[in-house]
Every structure is written in structure tokens, then in C-alpha cells.
Amino acid sequence: MRILNRSAAFALAVVAASVSSTAWADNASPVGLWRNIDDTTGKPRALIRISESNGALRGRVEKVFLAPNESPTCTKCEGALKNAPVIGLVILSGLEKDGAEYTGGQILDPDNGKIYSSMIRLTDGGKKLEVRGYIGVSLLGRSQIWQRQD
């Protein structure tokens, strides 16, 4: 009977480890749906879906939370993006894994139409994403914390 109990306990431990490692693996990548929190107001701005293709990450806006005076289009963007709908807009691109961070990418700020260099890093066990946009060196920029939604 003791052997059966030990075998059952071992089997349960293996299953529990498998489930927890699967859950951890889901949070080990920035791929998924994220809620963008404005670094100035602290209010949600958008839902962004990050996907991976050929080792590079990109983020597309799926939903926006607009204030009454805000436009659903990128009025300050230039070129082909001028007046493009913000929903569907790719705002993150070209990010590649570099140790614990994803670097070498760009981020578009639809509020001002400017494109910045970008890097991202998972925090809080993969529940949060630190997103940094900058000009030149990363010290000259600003960061937002995004919250995982799925």
C-alpha cells in the first residue's frame, strides 16, 4: 500500500510540475495580448497583440480606449500611415531576443506620429511588459508598463 501511495504521490508531483512549467512557458514570451497603460495618466490606452515571425516580434493594435477628444486615426503619422486607423496599426516591429530583453526594434506613437527605437522586457513573471521607446540611447526615452491580458 505504501508503494502505491508513493507512486501516486510521485505521479501527482510530475503532473503538477508539468502544468506549472507549461503555465510558466506561456509567460516566458511576450507573444500574446497586452493592455497598454499610459505612463502619464495611468489609464488603459489600447490592447496590442504581439506576435512573432522569423524570430522578430511585432505588435498590432486590436482595440483602443479613446478619450472624447481623441481621433481613431493616426492624424500625425506621415507617409502611408497618415490618417490610417489606429486599430490594425503595427506599432511595434523588429524586436529580437537579446538575453532577457528584446531589442533592435521600433515603436510608433500614434499620438504624435513619431517612430522611436524600442526595447522590451518581461517583468513580474511574464505578467507585465516594460516597453521603452527612445531616441539614440535608451537613457533618452520613456517607458510604459503593459499588462498581459491572455
Side-chain angles (χ1 to χ4, degrees):
M1 189 67 154
R2 283 185 180 170
I3 292 174
L4 182 59
N5 286 340
R6 286 183 187 164
S7 296
F10 178 74
L12 284 173
V14 169
V15 169
S18 298
V19 169
S20 64
S21 67
T22 300
W24 179 83
D26 290 343
N27 287 339
S29 166
V31 171
L33 187 64
W34 295 89
R35 181 181 302 257
N36 165 323
I37 306 296
D38 189 285
D39 55 310
T40 331
T41 66
K43 295 183 179 181
R45 297 281 296 151
L47 293 179
I48 296 108
R49 170 110 20 220
I50 296 179
S51 60
E52 182 177 356
S53 177
N54 298 323
L57 299 177
R58 64 187 263 163
R60 181 182 303 274
V61 177
E62 284 196 357
K63 182 177 182 176
V64 291
F65 306 104
L66 296 175
N69 61 342
E70 292 180 314
S71 172
T73 60
C74 195
T75 57
K76 295 185 179 177
C77 287
E78 297 179 359
L81 297 179
K82 179 77 173 167
N83 294 320
V86 174
I87 294 176
L89 199 60
V90 174
I91 63 166
L92 271 177
S93 61
L95 293 158
E96 294 185 358
K97 188 157 180 63
D98 182 15
E101 298 178 337
Y102 292 78
T103 61
Q106 295 182 324
I107 187 166
L108 166 68
D109 183 346
D111 290 338
N112 64 21
K114 294 184 180 179
I115 297 174
Y116 302 95
S117 296
S118 181
M119 60 189 292
I120 63 174
R121 175 172 63 98
L122 289 164
T123 63
D124 196 17
K127 295 176 187 171
K128 294 182 180 176
L129 186 68
E130 182 180 338
V131 180
R132 183 142 185 90
Y134 58 93
I135 299 171
V137 294
S138 66
L139 292 173
L140 304 174
R142 67 182 231 217
S143 293
Q144 291 182 337
I145 301 297
W146 295 3
Q147 299 170 346
R148 189 179 292 276
Q149 297 300 293
D150 61 2

